[in-house]
Amino acid sequence: MGRVHPARIWYALSHARHVLATCPLFADLISTCSFRPVEQWTVENVCFWLRSVGLSEFIPSFRLHAIDGEELLNLSDSALQRELKIEALGHRNKILRAIAAVRSSESLQYSNGLLDDSVPNEYVCPISHEVMRDPVIAADGFSYERLAIEAWLQRNPTSPMTNAPLSHRHVTPNRSLKMLIQRFREEQPH
């Protein structure tokens, strides 16, 4: 049996968390993938996040140095280079941009109250784990945030959800979902 892709696990958990919570086998997985502030992420949460944003090659170094959510938010270019031994400037910049993105999206989502149970799971991208702003449909029929799936498709010819080969790499705007998400955002207390 093949390895199950983390995005598929995330999608299953976010759509069936209440059912899986009753099964002891999934209790740890649910706590690993649940919405929580970055500061509260464990080392495994950080590794899961690295995998989901396409930076899995750095997981061993982050794990070795016990980089949890709090440490993640405090990483600097020099720490990445000196302590984590990430020499390539491009790699360090990629990591710092991903950290900045998670920091700003979390700040936006918490300020809008969007990380509580009121957020429909269908509005959350299974790759970035953030509420989508520009949802698109990929060849696998799933909706993703445009930037996340385009980055995925540059590196992988497979579905992030099923790991099955995709018939093509084109994406189609999901205007209906975008409109629903915009309405949802407007209805949230500011």
Side-chain angles (χ1 to χ4, degrees):
M1 182 167 197
R3 182 178 154 283
V4 178
H5 193 274
R8 186 170 185 193
I9 294 169
W10 174 266
Y11 184 79
L13 288 176
S14 63
H15 284 77
R17 186 173 291 147
H18 61 285
V19 174
L20 293 173
T22 62
C23 178
L25 262 173
F26 291 104
D28 289 339
L29 198 50
I30 289 169
S31 67
T32 297
C33 298
S34 63
F35 291 118
R36 65 174 80 168
V38 177
E39 293 85 5
Q40 295 175 13
W41 285 3
T42 64
V43 172
E44 285 311 306
N45 292 136
V46 170
C47 292
F48 185 89
W49 170 77
L50 283 167
R51 200 173 294 113
S52 75
V53 295
L55 298 170
S56 14
E57 64 207 77
F58 304 109
I59 290 173
S61 183
F62 275 64
R63 192 174 276 135
L64 176 70
H65 290 89
I67 304 297
D68 59 12
E70 194 171 334
E71 294 301 320
L72 179 73
L73 293 175
N74 290 311
L75 280 177
S76 64
D77 182 64
S78 63
L80 288 169
Q81 186 174 19
R82 290 186 191 132
E83 282 81 31
L84 276 71
K85 306 292 186 224
I86 299 172
E87 296 299 324
L89 175 63
H91 290 162
R92 294 193 313 272
N93 285 341
K94 214 182 272 187
I95 292 168
L96 291 171
R97 280 193 304 271
I99 292 169
V102 81
R103 185 182 288 128
S104 68
S105 77
E106 181 183 57
S107 143
L108 172 68
Q109 289 172 347
Y110 277 115
S111 69
N112 289 333
L114 294 180
L115 277 186
D116 60 23
D117 290 335
S118 71
V119 179
N121 293 321
E122 296 80 9
Y123 297 176
V124 178
C125 173
I127 298 174
S128 68
H129 315 302
E130 299 170 2
V131 176
M132 292 182 271
R133 293 190 173 280
D134 187 12
V136 294
I137 302 171
D140 60 2
F142 290 98
S143 290
Y144 304 94
E145 175 62 35
R146 179 182 296 277
L147 292 175
I149 190 64
E150 286 176 348
W152 172 273
L153 293 174
Q154 286 178 358
R155 296 182 309 273
N156 305 286
T158 60
S159 162
M161 297 302 294
T162 65
N163 245 359
L166 294 171
S167 58
H168 59 81
R169 293 182 184 206
H170 305 287
V171 296
T172 305
N174 190 337
R175 291 184 182 94
S176 298
L177 181 57
K178 185 174 185 172
M179 189 173 59
L180 289 169
I181 294 171
Q182 285 173 341
R183 247 188 243 147
F184 176 78
R185 286 181 183 274
E186 289 166 5
E187 293 170 359
Q188 296 305 303
H190 296 331

